[in-house]
Amino acid sequence: MLTQLFIICFLPTILAAEFIGIARSDVVRSKEMTLDAFNQQLSNYWTSDKLKSAKSLDISLSKTNSKSQPINNAVLTGPESSIAGSLPTNNSTKSKIISPNGRQVYTTGRVFWQVGTTHYTCSAAVIVSKSGDMICTAGHCVYDTTSKTWYNQNNWVFVPGYNNGNTPYGIWPMRRVTALVGWTSQSDYNYDVAMVAVSTVNGQHLQAYVGSQGIGFNFPRSAFTYSFGYPSNINSGLTLQKCSDTTKNSAYTQNNYHGLGLACNMGPGCSGGPWLQNVVDSTGIGYVTSVNSFQITTVPNVINGPYFDMNIKNLYDNSTSM
Ligand SMILES: *[C@@H]1O[C@H](CO)[C@@H](O)[C@H](O)[C@H]1NC(C)=O
Ligand SMILES: *[C@@H]1O[C@H](CO)[C@@H](O)[C@H](O)[C@H]1NC(C)=O
Ligand SMILES: *[C@@H]1O[C@H](CO)[C@@H](O)[C@H](O)[C@H]1NC(C)=O
Protein backbone atom coordinates (compact mmCIF):
# COMPACT_ATOMS: atom_id res chain seq x y z
CA MET A 1 0.00 0.00 0.00
CA LEU A 2 2.75 2.41 0.91
CA THR A 3 4.48 2.27 -2.43
CA GLN A 4 1.33 2.69 -4.52
CA LEU A 5 1.56 6.39 -5.09
CA PHE A 6 5.27 6.83 -4.90
CA ILE A 7 7.44 7.21 -7.87
CA ILE A 8 10.49 5.04 -7.55
CA CYS A 9 13.43 6.82 -9.05
CA PHE A 10 15.53 5.09 -11.62
CA LEU A 11 18.47 7.38 -11.64
CA PRO A 12 21.68 7.07 -13.61
CA THR A 13 24.32 4.77 -12.23
CA ILE A 14 26.37 7.63 -10.90
CA LEU A 15 23.59 8.49 -8.44
CA ALA A 16 22.62 4.92 -7.70
CA ALA A 17 24.66 4.72 -4.53
CA GLU A 18 22.74 7.65 -3.09
CA PHE A 19 19.23 7.03 -4.32
CA ILE A 20 18.88 3.34 -5.01
CA GLY A 21 15.49 1.79 -4.27
CA ILE A 22 14.23 4.80 -2.36
CA ALA A 23 10.74 6.23 -2.60
CA ARG A 24 10.66 9.75 -3.89
CA SER A 25 7.59 11.84 -3.13
CA ASP A 26 6.19 14.45 -5.50
CA VAL A 27 5.45 17.97 -4.41
CA VAL A 28 1.87 19.24 -4.27
CA ARG A 29 0.74 22.87 -4.00
CA SER A 30 -2.43 24.52 -2.82
CA LYS A 31 -4.07 27.31 -4.77
CA GLU A 32 -2.54 30.74 -4.33
CA MET A 33 -4.32 33.33 -2.23
CA THR A 34 -3.94 37.01 -3.02
CA LEU A 35 -4.53 38.49 0.34
CA ASP A 36 -2.95 41.91 0.73
CA ALA A 37 -6.36 43.56 0.59
CA PHE A 38 -7.66 40.94 2.98
CA ASN A 39 -5.03 41.45 5.68
CA GLN A 40 -6.92 43.95 7.74
CA GLN A 41 -10.01 41.76 7.70
CA LEU A 42 -7.94 38.81 8.89
CA SER A 43 -6.36 40.60 11.80
CA ASN A 44 -9.79 41.82 12.81
CA TYR A 45 -11.10 38.25 12.68
CA TRP A 46 -8.44 36.80 14.96
CA THR A 47 -9.34 38.39 18.26
CA SER A 48 -7.39 37.55 21.41
CA ASP A 49 -10.33 35.42 22.63
CA LYS A 50 -10.37 33.34 19.46
CA LEU A 51 -6.62 32.84 19.60
CA LYS A 52 -6.74 31.77 23.23
CA SER A 53 -9.59 29.30 22.76
CA ALA A 54 -8.18 27.60 19.65
CA LYS A 55 -8.04 23.83 19.90
CA SER A 56 -4.73 21.96 19.65
CA LEU A 57 -4.59 18.99 17.33
CA ASP A 58 -4.17 15.65 19.03
CA ILE A 59 -0.71 14.26 18.37
CA SER A 60 -0.96 10.87 20.04
CA LEU A 61 -2.38 8.98 17.12
CA SER A 62 -2.80 5.64 18.87
CA LYS A 63 0.29 4.38 17.19
CA THR A 64 1.44 1.22 18.82
CA ASN A 65 5.09 0.53 19.22
CA SER A 66 5.34 -2.74 17.42
CA LYS A 67 8.80 -4.10 16.96
CA SER A 68 7.47 -6.70 14.57
CA GLN A 69 8.88 -4.97 11.52
CA PRO A 70 12.52 -3.98 11.48
CA ILE A 71 13.28 -0.38 10.66
CA ASN A 72 13.95 0.17 7.00
CA ASN A 73 15.98 3.34 6.92
CA ALA A 74 14.37 4.33 3.65
CA VAL A 75 15.89 7.78 3.67
CA LEU A 76 16.20 9.47 0.32
CA THR A 77 19.85 10.05 1.09
CA GLY A 78 22.08 12.75 -0.26
CA PRO A 79 24.88 15.03 0.82
CA GLU A 80 24.51 17.07 3.99
CA SER A 81 23.55 20.62 3.05
CA SER A 82 22.20 23.70 4.75
CA ILE A 83 21.17 27.29 4.26
CA ALA A 84 21.89 29.74 7.08
CA GLY A 85 19.15 31.76 8.76
CA SER A 86 19.15 35.53 9.01
CA LEU A 87 18.72 38.36 11.45
CA PRO A 88 15.96 40.84 10.70
CA THR A 89 16.93 43.54 8.24
CA ASN A 90 14.17 45.87 9.32
CA ASN A 91 15.72 47.83 12.15
CA SER A 92 12.49 48.94 13.74
CA THR A 93 12.74 48.89 17.52
CA LYS A 94 10.51 45.87 17.84
CA SER A 95 12.25 43.64 15.33
CA LYS A 96 15.72 44.48 16.67
CA ILE A 97 15.11 43.21 20.19
CA ILE A 98 17.01 40.09 21.13
CA SER A 99 15.95 38.64 24.46
CA PRO A 100 18.10 36.38 26.64
CA ASN A 101 16.42 33.54 24.76
CA GLY A 102 17.64 35.00 21.50
CA ARG A 103 15.94 35.27 18.20
CA GLN A 104 14.04 32.06 18.77
CA VAL A 105 11.12 33.85 20.40
CA TYR A 106 10.45 35.89 17.28
CA THR A 107 10.99 33.30 14.60
CA THR A 108 8.72 30.73 16.28
CA GLY A 109 5.01 31.23 16.62
CA ARG A 110 1.62 29.67 16.36
CA VAL A 111 -0.59 29.09 13.37
CA PHE A 112 -4.38 29.32 13.56
CA TRP A 113 -7.21 28.32 11.26
CA GLN A 114 -10.91 27.66 11.33
CA VAL A 115 -12.93 24.63 10.32
CA GLY A 116 -16.68 25.16 10.67
CA THR A 117 -17.12 26.97 13.96
CA THR A 118 -13.98 25.56 15.56
CA HIS A 119 -10.60 27.26 15.68
CA TYR A 120 -7.45 25.16 15.60
CA THR A 121 -3.80 25.80 16.35
CA CYS A 122 -0.31 24.38 15.75
CA SER A 123 3.24 25.74 15.97
CA ALA A 124 5.59 26.86 13.17
CA ALA A 125 8.82 28.77 12.48
CA VAL A 126 10.12 31.21 9.91
CA ILE A 127 12.70 29.57 7.67
CA VAL A 128 15.11 31.34 5.39
CA SER A 129 13.94 31.85 1.80
CA LYS A 130 14.65 34.08 -1.17
CA SER A 131 11.18 35.56 -1.05
CA GLY A 132 11.48 36.17 2.69
CA ASP A 133 7.96 34.85 3.29
CA MET A 134 8.40 31.20 4.26
CA ILE A 135 7.41 29.25 7.36
CA CYS A 136 7.78 25.57 8.08
CA THR A 137 5.20 23.48 9.96
CA ALA A 138 3.80 19.95 10.06
CA GLY A 139 1.83 18.49 7.14
CA HIS A 140 -1.01 17.66 9.52
CA CYS A 141 -1.38 21.39 10.31
CA VAL A 142 -2.19 22.29 6.70
CA TYR A 143 -3.87 19.25 5.15
CA ASP A 144 -6.67 17.06 6.45
CA THR A 145 -5.86 13.56 5.23
CA THR A 146 -9.34 12.31 6.25
CA SER A 147 -11.33 14.73 4.09
CA LYS A 148 -8.45 15.06 1.57
CA THR A 149 -8.52 18.84 1.62
CA TRP A 150 -6.27 21.72 2.58
CA TYR A 151 -7.42 23.34 5.77
CA ASN A 152 -9.38 26.55 5.25
CA GLN A 153 -6.95 28.82 3.41
CA ASN A 154 -9.17 31.86 3.92
CA ASN A 155 -8.07 32.51 7.46
CA TRP A 156 -5.05 30.30 8.09
CA VAL A 157 -2.53 32.64 9.72
CA PHE A 158 0.90 32.66 11.37
CA VAL A 159 1.52 34.67 14.55
CA PRO A 160 5.28 34.98 15.25
CA GLY A 161 6.15 35.41 18.91
CA TYR A 162 2.57 34.58 19.96
CA ASN A 163 2.14 35.21 23.66
CA ASN A 164 -0.98 34.83 25.77
CA GLY A 165 -3.43 35.95 23.08
CA ASN A 166 -1.15 38.78 21.93
CA THR A 167 0.30 39.19 18.45
CA PRO A 168 3.42 41.34 19.03
CA TYR A 169 4.78 40.88 15.49
CA GLY A 170 1.54 40.88 13.60
CA ILE A 171 -0.67 38.31 11.90
CA TRP A 172 0.62 36.88 8.61
CA PRO A 173 -1.91 35.18 6.31
CA MET A 174 -1.13 32.09 4.24
CA ARG A 175 -0.48 32.77 0.57
CA ARG A 176 0.24 29.23 -0.57
CA VAL A 177 1.22 25.91 0.93
CA THR A 178 3.55 23.29 -0.51
CA ALA A 179 3.54 19.73 0.82
CA LEU A 180 4.47 16.23 -0.31
CA VAL A 181 2.17 13.69 -1.91
CA GLY A 182 3.60 11.24 0.62
CA TRP A 183 1.63 13.19 3.22
CA THR A 184 -1.45 14.34 1.31
CA SER A 185 -2.15 10.96 -0.32
CA GLN A 186 -0.51 8.47 2.01
CA SER A 187 -0.63 10.08 5.47
CA ASP A 188 2.96 8.87 5.72
CA TYR A 189 4.57 10.48 8.75
CA ASN A 190 7.95 10.51 7.01
CA TYR A 191 6.44 13.41 5.06
CA ASP A 192 4.60 15.27 7.83
CA VAL A 193 6.10 18.62 6.77
CA ALA A 194 4.76 21.65 4.93
CA MET A 195 6.22 24.92 3.71
CA VAL A 196 3.83 27.84 3.84
CA ALA A 197 4.43 31.10 1.99
CA VAL A 198 2.73 33.95 3.81
CA SER A 199 1.55 37.24 2.35
CA THR A 200 3.39 40.47 2.89
CA VAL A 201 1.76 42.69 5.48
CA ASN A 202 1.78 46.41 4.68
CA GLY A 203 4.35 45.64 2.02
CA GLN A 204 6.71 44.12 4.55
CA HIS A 205 8.23 40.63 4.35
CA LEU A 206 8.08 38.38 7.42
CA GLN A 207 11.77 37.43 7.30
CA ALA A 208 12.90 41.06 7.15
CA TYR A 209 10.80 41.80 10.18
CA VAL A 210 11.56 38.91 12.57
CA GLY A 211 14.54 37.11 10.99
CA SER A 212 14.62 33.47 9.98
CA GLN A 213 15.95 30.09 10.98
CA GLY A 214 18.25 28.19 8.65
CA ILE A 215 17.36 24.75 7.35
CA GLY A 216 19.48 21.60 7.24
CA PHE A 217 19.17 18.41 5.19
CA ASN A 218 20.77 15.01 5.78
CA PHE A 219 22.13 16.26 9.09
CA PRO A 220 23.42 13.79 11.72
CA ARG A 221 20.59 11.59 13.06
CA SER A 222 22.03 11.70 16.55
CA ALA A 223 22.72 15.30 17.53
CA PHE A 224 21.94 17.78 20.28
CA THR A 225 18.64 19.33 19.22
CA TYR A 226 16.13 21.85 20.55
CA SER A 227 12.41 21.53 19.97
CA PHE A 228 10.14 24.57 20.32
CA GLY A 229 6.38 24.84 20.38
CA TYR A 230 3.18 25.88 22.13
CA PRO A 231 1.89 22.71 23.83
CA SER A 232 -1.54 22.88 25.45
CA ASN A 233 -0.35 20.68 28.35
CA ILE A 234 2.06 23.40 29.57
CA ASN A 235 0.60 26.80 30.56
CA SER A 236 -2.41 26.08 28.31
CA GLY A 237 -0.30 26.67 25.19
CA LEU A 238 -0.18 30.40 25.93
CA THR A 239 3.63 30.67 25.91
CA LEU A 240 6.54 29.27 23.94
CA GLN A 241 8.12 26.15 25.46
CA LYS A 242 11.22 24.19 24.62
CA CYS A 243 12.89 20.83 25.09
CA SER A 244 16.40 19.74 24.28
CA ASP A 245 18.23 16.44 24.10
CA THR A 246 20.18 14.24 21.74
CA THR A 247 17.99 12.81 18.98
CA LYS A 248 17.67 9.06 18.47
CA ASN A 249 15.98 6.85 15.90
CA SER A 250 12.23 6.94 16.53
CA ALA A 251 10.79 4.00 18.49
CA TYR A 252 8.04 3.90 15.87
CA THR A 253 9.27 1.36 13.38
CA GLN A 254 6.19 0.54 11.32
CA ASN A 255 5.48 1.60 7.75
CA ASN A 256 9.14 2.23 6.98
CA TYR A 257 9.13 5.18 9.34
CA HIS A 258 12.64 6.57 9.54
CA GLY A 259 12.04 9.66 11.65
CA LEU A 260 13.71 10.67 14.89
CA GLY A 261 12.69 10.80 18.54
CA LEU A 262 13.50 13.52 21.08
CA ALA A 263 12.88 13.35 24.84
CA CYS A 264 10.24 16.02 25.41
CA ASN A 265 7.12 16.52 27.51
CA MET A 266 5.38 18.81 25.04
CA GLY A 267 1.92 17.60 24.00
CA PRO A 268 -0.80 18.68 21.53
CA GLY A 269 -0.28 22.16 20.08
CA CYS A 270 3.49 21.75 19.69
CA SER A 271 2.87 20.12 16.28
CA GLY A 272 4.85 21.81 13.54
CA GLY A 273 7.24 23.53 15.96
CA PRO A 274 10.87 23.51 14.81
CA TRP A 275 13.68 21.17 15.80
CA LEU A 276 16.95 23.06 15.71
CA GLN A 277 20.56 21.96 15.55
CA ASN A 278 23.65 24.18 15.87
CA VAL A 279 21.81 27.06 17.52
CA VAL A 280 24.02 30.10 18.12
CA ASP A 281 23.23 31.26 21.66
CA SER A 282 23.70 34.96 21.02
CA THR A 283 21.24 35.06 18.13
CA GLY A 284 18.93 32.10 18.75
CA ILE A 285 19.38 31.12 15.11
CA GLY A 286 20.14 27.55 14.08
CA TYR A 287 19.10 25.01 11.47
CA VAL A 288 15.65 23.44 11.33
CA THR A 289 16.20 19.70 10.95
CA SER A 290 12.67 18.44 11.77
CA VAL A 291 9.28 19.49 13.12
CA ASN A 292 7.19 18.14 16.01
CA SER A 293 4.97 15.45 14.50
CA PHE A 294 3.50 12.80 16.83
CA GLN A 295 3.75 10.89 20.08
CA ILE A 296 3.54 7.13 20.41
CA THR A 297 0.87 6.27 22.97
CA THR A 298 3.09 3.63 24.57
CA VAL A 299 6.22 5.82 24.66
CA PRO A 300 5.40 8.90 26.78
CA ASN A 301 7.54 12.02 26.87
CA VAL A 302 9.12 11.49 23.48
CA ILE A 303 8.18 13.59 20.47
CA ASN A 304 8.80 12.18 17.01
CA GLY A 305 9.65 14.14 13.89
CA PRO A 306 10.44 13.39 10.24
CA TYR A 307 14.06 13.16 9.15
CA PHE A 308 14.85 15.98 6.70
CA ASP A 309 16.21 13.95 3.80
CA MET A 310 16.30 14.71 0.06
CA ASN A 311 12.51 14.51 -0.15
CA ILE A 312 12.22 17.40 2.28
CA LYS A 313 14.96 19.23 0.40
CA ASN A 314 12.96 18.82 -2.82
CA LEU A 315 9.94 20.21 -0.98
CA TYR A 316 11.94 23.19 0.28
CA ASP A 317 13.56 23.87 -3.11
CA ASN A 318 10.18 23.70 -4.81
CA SER A 319 8.49 25.98 -2.27
CA THR A 320 11.19 28.61 -2.49
CA SER A 321 10.69 28.76 -6.27
CA MET A 322 7.23 30.26 -5.75
C1 LIG B 1 7.08 22.26 -7.92
O1 LIG B 1 6.05 21.30 -7.87
C2 LIG B 1 4.96 21.56 -8.72
C3 LIG B 1 3.86 20.56 -8.40
O2 LIG B 1 4.33 19.26 -8.54
C4 LIG B 1 5.45 21.49 -10.15
O3 LIG B 1 4.39 21.78 -11.04
C5 LIG B 1 6.56 22.52 -10.36
O4 LIG B 1 7.10 22.39 -11.64
C6 LIG B 1 7.66 22.31 -9.33
N1 LIG B 1 8.61 23.41 -9.45
C7 LIG B 1 9.92 23.24 -9.31
C8 LIG B 1 10.75 24.46 -9.52
O5 LIG B 1 10.44 22.17 -9.02
C1 LIG C 1 20.22 47.75 10.26
O1 LIG C 1 21.25 47.81 11.23
C2 LIG C 1 22.43 47.16 10.82
C3 LIG C 1 23.38 47.15 12.01
O2 LIG C 1 23.32 48.34 12.73
C4 LIG C 1 23.00 47.88 9.60
O3 LIG C 1 24.16 47.24 9.15
C5 LIG C 1 21.95 47.85 8.49
O4 LIG C 1 22.39 48.57 7.36
C6 LIG C 1 20.63 48.42 8.96
N1 LIG C 1 19.61 48.20 7.95
C7 LIG C 1 18.78 49.16 7.54
C8 LIG C 1 17.80 48.76 6.49
O5 LIG C 1 18.79 50.29 8.01
C1 LIG D 1 9.95 48.12 9.39
O1 LIG D 1 8.91 47.86 10.32
C2 LIG D 1 8.13 48.97 10.64
C3 LIG D 1 7.18 48.58 11.76
O2 LIG D 1 6.39 47.52 11.42
C4 LIG D 1 7.39 49.42 9.37
O3 LIG D 1 6.61 50.55 9.64
C5 LIG D 1 8.42 49.75 8.29
O4 LIG D 1 7.77 50.05 7.08
C6 LIG D 1 9.36 48.59 8.06
N1 LIG D 1 10.44 48.96 7.16
C7 LIG D 1 10.70 48.30 6.03
C8 LIG D 1 11.87 48.80 5.25
O5 LIG D 1 10.06 47.32 5.67
Side-chain angles (χ1 to χ4, degrees):
M1 173 195 150
L2 249 163
T3 50
Q4 265 172 17
L5 287 173
F6 288 106
I7 297 167
I8 304 297
C9 287
F10 295 100
L11 286 145
T13 329
I14 193 159
L15 289 177
E18 285 179 8
F19 291 94
I20 193 161
I22 301 307
R24 181 176 179 136
S25 182
D26 275 346
V27 169
V28 57
R29 289 178 170 184
S30 72
K31 70 180 176 202
E32 179 151 16
M33 312 295 286
T34 48
L35 283 180
D36 252 356
F38 211 46
N39 285 343
Q40 195 53 48
Q41 195 184 322
L42 273 175
S43 49
N44 291 343
Y45 179 81
W46 286 109
T47 59
S48 180
D49 282 351
K50 282 183 183 135
L51 297 176
K52 280 189 186 173
S53 63
K55 200 172 168 236
S56 295
L57 296 186
D58 189 10
I59 51 167
S60 57
L61 297 166
S62 307
K63 291 178 182 302
T64 54
N65 179 28
S66 162
K67 297 275 186 195
S68 59
Q69 293 174 338
I71 190 163
N72 170 356
N73 278 306
V75 182
L76 187 56
T77 53
E80 183 176 320
S81 66
S82 62
I83 303 161
S86 61
L87 286 168
T89 51
N90 180 322
N91 288 342
S92 77
T93 316
K94 259 188 184 175
S95 65
K96 211 160 54 171
I97 297 166
I98 294 180
S99 78
N101 291 326
R103 183 55 44 190
Q104 188 44 237
V105 176
Y106 311 104
T107 54
T108 307
R110 285 180 95 176
V111 299
F112 297 90
W113 70 96
Q114 179 192 18
V115 178
T117 55
T118 311
H119 300 113
Y120 292 93
T121 182
C122 275
S123 303
V126 185
I127 50 160
V128 65
S129 69
K130 282 184 209 118
S131 69
D133 300 321
M134 199 67 66
I135 64 170
C136 180
T137 187
H140 73 262
C141 300
V142 300
Y143 190 87
D144 182 357
T145 53
T146 308
S147 64
K148 299 278 178 206
T149 51
W150 301 105
Y151 283 127
N152 186 359
Q153 283 183 265
N154 293 312
N155 62 9
W156 197 104
V157 294
F158 175 60
V159 179
Y162 172 85
N163 188 297
N164 198 15
N166 298 314
T167 61
Y169 307 100
I171 296 181
W172 302 74
M174 170 191 282
R175 180 162 64 84
R176 187 178 223 174
V177 53
T178 312
L180 288 164
V181 172
W183 175 252
T184 60
S185 293
Q186 301 294 126
S187 313
D188 183 335
Y189 279 83
N190 286 312
Y191 308 109
D192 188 14
V193 189
M195 305 290 167
V196 177
V198 296
S199 290
T200 53
V201 172
N202 302 324
Q204 178 161 228
H205 293 276
L206 175 61
Q207 178 174 302
Y209 195 45
V210 299
S212 66
Q213 292 295 333
I215 189 162
F217 307 103
N218 306 302
F219 267 37
R221 292 179 65 85
S222 178
F224 182 79
T225 300
Y226 287 99
S227 165
F228 289 87
Y230 289 84
S232 60
N233 61 320
I234 305 172
N235 196 22
S236 307
L238 293 171
T239 49
L240 182 64
Q241 304 295 326
K242 73 169 190 289
C243 301
S244 59
D245 199 12
T246 301
T247 49
K248 299 181 173 61
N249 285 338
S250 172
Y252 181 63
T253 57
Q254 296 172 16
N255 301 325
N256 289 337
Y257 187 68
H258 54 75
L260 303 174
L262 180 71
C264 185
N265 62 352
M266 292 199 287
C270 78
S271 290
W275 290 23
L276 291 162
Q277 286 188 30
N278 303 341
V279 175
V280 175
D281 285 341
S282 59
T283 62
I285 294 178
Y287 295 87
V288 177
T289 53
S290 185
V291 294
N292 295 319
S293 176
F294 67 89
Q295 280 173 342
I296 305 166
T297 46
T298 53
V299 186
N301 297 324
V302 175
I303 187 86
N304 298 274
Y307 180 71
F308 277 22
D309 64 3
M310 291 308 276
N311 269 312
I312 313 298
K313 184 174 188 303
N314 291 340
L315 169 66
Y316 173 78
D317 289 346
N318 188 293
S319 67
T320 55
S321 71
M322 295 194 293

